[in-house]
Amino acid sequence: MTALTGLAALTALCPPPAVVPPPPDWSLAEDELGVGLPRDYKELVDAYGPGEFCGFLTLYRPGALSEWVDLTGPVPARLRGQLDAGRTADARRPGALPCPTGDLLAVGVTGNGHYLFWDTRPRDAPDRWTLAVTERLSAPWFTYSGSVTAFLVDVLGGTLHVPLFPRGLLDDGPSFTPSRLRGRVPVTAPSTWSQVSTSTIRTWARANGYDVPARGRVPRGVLEAWEAATHAD
């Protein structure tokens, strides 16, 4: 029997939602970014829609309701700017980054503040791009010589442990939770969850149908939903 690979392997590990929003306009997204995007990533986003893997990892997507995870929004450029500033401030460690900052494009973020970047070399061959993970935009970096889909298959399948990720990531098995955002959350919106007790957020989340743990980290998707509801009010 031939082993499943790519998206087929991922959906076997972690089934996508039965219903997903319409896919992004990929031609428009690539025009805005000025670069083509990996085929596997586009198929992955089309299949799953917006949401979180294991309540932990959110992939950026073009036109996301939350600008914090909008691939064509302001955040990827801001992250590159912060990386440039960090490199300038620490000129003694020129090799701290896996590649020049101009070649890094953010493609994911975790609830613990880790960022997943593409190394976009070569620019004209996106299906050959590899990945790099960093904790809060600082060293050390973890690099992966494969696609986003292959990375998820290895992480969710338990064959790859990213040192920066929690060891209990798969305690409840692989999962995907669709985003429940219904309104736009701009990056300029002031954070409300930092000013509210997590118990209040957990109570709100359960009342609105979210499955949240009794203690520990509140998933980013829940925090974003809380943020959107707060601003909607």
Side-chain angles (χ1 to χ4, degrees):
M1 180 182 295
T2 302
L4 296 176
T5 59
L7 186 61
L10 183 59
T11 57
L13 272 172
C14 182
V19 179
V20 297
D25 184 331
W26 291 113
S27 294
L28 176 61
E30 290 172 329
D31 285 346
E32 291 179 354
L33 293 168
V35 66
L37 293 168
R39 180 176 55 185
D40 80 283
Y41 163 76
K42 292 186 283 189
E43 293 175 347
L44 170 60
V45 168
D46 289 352
Y48 283 86
E52 280 187 319
F53 288 93
C54 290
F56 182 69
L57 175 61
T58 300
L59 292 182
Y60 288 29
R61 57 178 276 137
L65 286 178
S66 172
E67 283 190 351
W68 294 102
V69 292
D70 185 351
L71 187 70
T72 50
V75 169
R78 290 188 183 186
L79 294 177
R80 279 195 296 268
Q82 292 175 38
L83 287 169
D84 272 331
R87 168 167 278 192
T88 300
D90 195 1
R92 296 168 300 175
R93 302 176 62 198
L97 299 179
C99 64
T101 54
D103 292 321
L104 289 170
L105 176 60
V107 66
V109 65
T110 76
N112 286 352
H114 309 111
Y115 290 93
L116 179 66
F117 289 86
W118 276 306
D119 178 344
T120 63
R121 301 175 296 177
R123 295 278 289 182
D124 59 353
D127 291 334
R128 292 168 54 191
W129 292 356
T130 58
L131 298 173
V133 183
T134 177
E135 181 178 13
R136 304 186 186 280
L137 302 180
S138 61
W141 288 73
F142 176 87
T143 56
Y144 178 83
S145 299
S147 69
V148 171
T149 304
F151 176 80
L152 287 173
V153 169
D154 286 346
V155 170
L156 299 185
T159 61
L160 172 69
H161 175 67
V162 180
L164 302 174
F165 288 4
R167 290 199 170 273
L169 181 64
L170 297 176
D171 282 355
D172 296 323
S175 65
F176 180 81
T177 305
S179 171
R180 298 194 183 191
L181 284 181
R182 294 295 180 265
R184 188 74 167 165
V185 178
V187 296
T188 54
S191 173
T192 57
W193 66 68
S194 63
Q195 304 168 25
V196 179
S197 71
T198 58
S199 63
T200 299
I201 296 176
R202 291 178 207 277
T203 300
W204 174 90
R206 294 190 187 100
N208 286 273
Y210 292 91
D211 183 15
V212 293
R215 57 179 59 86
R217 182 183 55 82
V218 177
R220 175 177 289 270
V222 174
L223 296 176
E224 289 178 343
W226 164 266
E227 184 107 62
T230 300
H231 286 284
D233 293 341

